[in-house]
Amino acid sequence: MDKKQVYCRYCGKLIDEDAPFCTYCGKPQGEVGQGIIGIKRKTIQYMEFLASVILSILGLLCLPFKKLVNIRFSNVQKNKFRRVKRVVLRYFIIIITICAVIGGGIAGYSYYYDEYLPEKYLKEAYNDIINKYNTTNDSTKLDIAIKISRPSYPWEREYPKIEEGRMTVLLRFEDQSTKDGYCGKASDFIIAKAKENNAKAQYFMGMMLLGGENSYWLSDTTRAVYWFNESAKNGYPKAFGEIGTAYEQGIGVNCNPYKAVELFKKGANLNDPKSQYKLGCMYRDGISVECGWHWKTKSTTEYMSDKENVIREYWDSQRATSVYVYREKITDYKTLVPQDINQAKYWWRKASAQGYTDATISLQQVYD
């Protein structure tokens, strides 16, 4: 029988109900730190333990009375027992009342701070995002749509009081009027702006089509490269770094180091940090490409079994050995980017100044 499926509270994908971690994003499910579920369970455990202790004490107190049931007592003794019974009952009621007040206070505290307030802050943040999305101009709306369309966008930085990952799930599943809620609406808006030749929308279309943590979509590198190209044609700096990487690594297109170097240089001059970092790496390693070949004549005294490239053979009387004169095919290389560590550090510094982490790490490795 299939296990019951529930949505991950962070990425929103279906997982088994009893799974301790999400099989997609890897984040823990169920209790979050000392959340409402954990505190309620502990409260119940404490109350059960306290009730068992009280019942045990009452049982011990009742043992002497059970043994004295059949013994005849005088009226004075009976009055004493009644007074003791009333005192014990009174303290028992007081203890139960105190326990109920403490338990109720703990439960109320945990509900207020772990359930009511987080839900309130989450709803307020959600309404604020939707209100901004629906009432701002197209430029600001595009920025908000890009954030909504990213599964990994850290909303908790803008709204510190909300829990990590909750907003992404809410934006996708709260509004059921369209598929994928406001994530679907935001994606449709980005597509529409990209078709209207908006460079930023075209760039983000490419990022979404790359898949991974930036998108809910399946990966389609060929279409991603197309949109990066369109964005680069419209002069969007970040597009040069992405399309240059595609030509460098052969993602969605054939490898073309000439195009990669050209695009990285254009992007670096437009102040794109990824292009600056990549260009710095090229200066660190030096980039050369094959540009043809030529024959080179060589000689050796070692026996050559491959007679095809042997030009002639003669006897060297001074060394008393045969000498083979042969030709060897030599590949010619053209330098696209010379090896220059100073140029590499120059571009890495520019990228690092914009907060590009990989450039900062590369600089530290060079200076170390």
Side-chain angles (χ1 to χ4, degrees):
M1 185 176 179
D2 294 337
K3 291 184 178 179
K4 185 179 177 182
Q5 300 275 295
V6 295
Y7 289 107
C8 171
R9 66 196 301 274
Y10 295 101
C11 68
K13 295 185 178 179
L14 283 172
I15 59 173
D16 290 340
E17 184 182 28
D18 57 351
F21 296 92
C22 176
T23 53
Y24 296 94
C25 66
K27 293 186 177 179
Q29 306 298 305
E31 296 183 14
V32 180
Q34 294 296 325
I36 180 64
I37 298 174
I39 292 178
K40 282 183 177 178
R41 286 180 180 171
K42 288 184 178 180
T43 303
I44 293 170
Q45 290 173 357
Y46 291 147
M47 292 294 289
E48 289 177 348
F49 173 74
L50 191 59
S52 64
V53 170
I54 291 170
L55 290 173
S56 299
I57 293 171
L58 288 174
L60 290 172
L61 291 173
C62 290
L63 281 176
F65 293 102
K66 288 182 180 179
K67 293 181 179 179
L68 298 173
V69 169
N70 297 321
I71 302 176
R72 294 181 179 276
F73 296 100
S74 65
N75 290 331
V76 175
Q77 290 174 323
K78 287 180 181 180
N79 289 332
K80 287 182 179 180
F81 281 126
R82 288 192 189 99
R83 285 196 296 271
V84 171
K85 183 179 178 182
R86 282 197 296 270
V87 171
V88 170
L89 185 59
R90 187 182 303 156
Y91 280 109
F92 174 72
I93 292 172
I94 291 171
I95 291 170
I96 292 296
T97 304
I98 292 171
C99 291
V101 170
I102 293 172
I106 293 172
Y109 179 89
S110 64
Y111 170 78
Y112 183 76
Y113 284 100
D114 290 326
E115 188 168 321
Y116 173 75
L117 280 183
E119 286 298 326
K120 178 187 174 184
Y121 295 144
L122 187 66
K123 274 292 183 182
E124 289 175 352
Y126 174 80
N127 292 331
D128 185 53
I129 292 167
I130 300 309
N131 183 55
K132 288 179 181 177
Y133 177 79
N134 290 325
T135 58
T136 53
N137 56 46
D138 279 3
S139 177
T140 307
K141 186 175 181 178
L142 178 61
D143 292 335
I144 298 172
I146 289 171
K147 294 176 184 178
I148 292 173
S149 299
R150 288 178 56 191
S152 58
Y153 184 76
W155 288 105
E156 57 275 5
R157 292 182 185 174
E158 294 187 26
Y159 302 94
K161 292 182 179 180
I162 67 173
E163 292 182 18
E164 181 183 354
R166 292 290 303 279
M167 182 57 71
T168 303
V169 178
L170 198 65
L171 287 167
R172 188 176 182 188
F173 297 106
E174 180 70 12
D175 185 357
Q176 296 298 321
S177 60
T178 58
K179 184 180 179 182
D180 288 336
Y182 267 91
C183 289
K185 290 180 181 180
S187 297
D188 292 340
F189 180 75
I190 293 168
I191 293 169
K193 298 303 290 183
K195 290 179 179 178
E196 292 174 7
N197 225 27
N198 183 293
K200 190 172 186 178
Q202 290 170 336
Y203 166 76
F204 194 73
M205 275 288 292
M207 294 300 294
M208 289 195 294
L209 287 164
L210 283 179
E213 65 176 12
N214 293 310
S215 173
Y216 292 107
W217 298 4
L218 294 175
S219 177
D220 188 339
T221 54
T222 303
R223 289 177 62 204
V225 169
Y226 166 79
W227 285 111
F228 285 140
N229 264 318
E230 293 298 306
S231 182
K233 287 177 185 177
N234 290 315
Y236 193 68
K238 289 185 178 181
F240 289 95
E242 297 300 333
I243 192 66
T245 303
Y247 278 109
E248 179 192 29
Q249 300 178 5
I251 301 172
V253 290
N254 294 326
C255 281
N256 189 331
Y258 292 93
K259 288 280 290 181
V261 172
E262 178 189 351
L263 289 162
F264 285 145
K265 285 182 176 179
K266 285 183 179 178
N269 290 324
L270 289 171
N271 218 28
D272 170 44
K274 184 169 185 177
S275 297
Q276 291 169 341
Y277 167 71
K278 287 285 190 177
L279 189 59
C281 291
M282 287 182 165
Y283 274 112
R284 177 194 61 194
D285 302 330
I287 303 296
S288 299
V289 294
E290 294 183 14
C291 61
W293 58 274
H294 67 276
W295 292 108
K296 185 175 182 180
T297 303
K298 294 184 177 182
S299 63
T300 182
T301 56
E302 297 180 2
Y303 176 75
M304 295 188 65
S305 58
D306 181 12
K307 301 295 184 181
E308 183 178 349
N309 292 322
V310 176
I311 300 172
R312 66 190 181 92
E313 177 185 354
Y314 65 91
W315 178 261
D316 188 338
S317 57
Q318 291 183 350
R319 290 185 290 178
T321 183
S322 296
V323 178
Y324 299 91
V325 179
Y326 66 97
R327 62 179 185 174
E328 183 178 349
K329 189 175 182 180
I330 304 297
T331 302
D332 296 325
Y333 291 93
K334 177 182 178 181
T335 301
L336 293 182
V337 180
Q339 196 169 22
D340 187 340
I341 192 62
N342 291 323
Q343 277 291 316
K345 289 191 285 188
Y346 169 77
W347 288 113
W348 284 341
R349 286 192 198 102
K350 291 179 77 69
S352 179
Q354 298 184 67
Y356 200 79
T357 307
D358 290 342
T360 305
I361 294 171
S362 295
L363 281 171
Q364 290 173 346
Q365 291 172 343
V366 169
Y367 287 116
D368 288 345

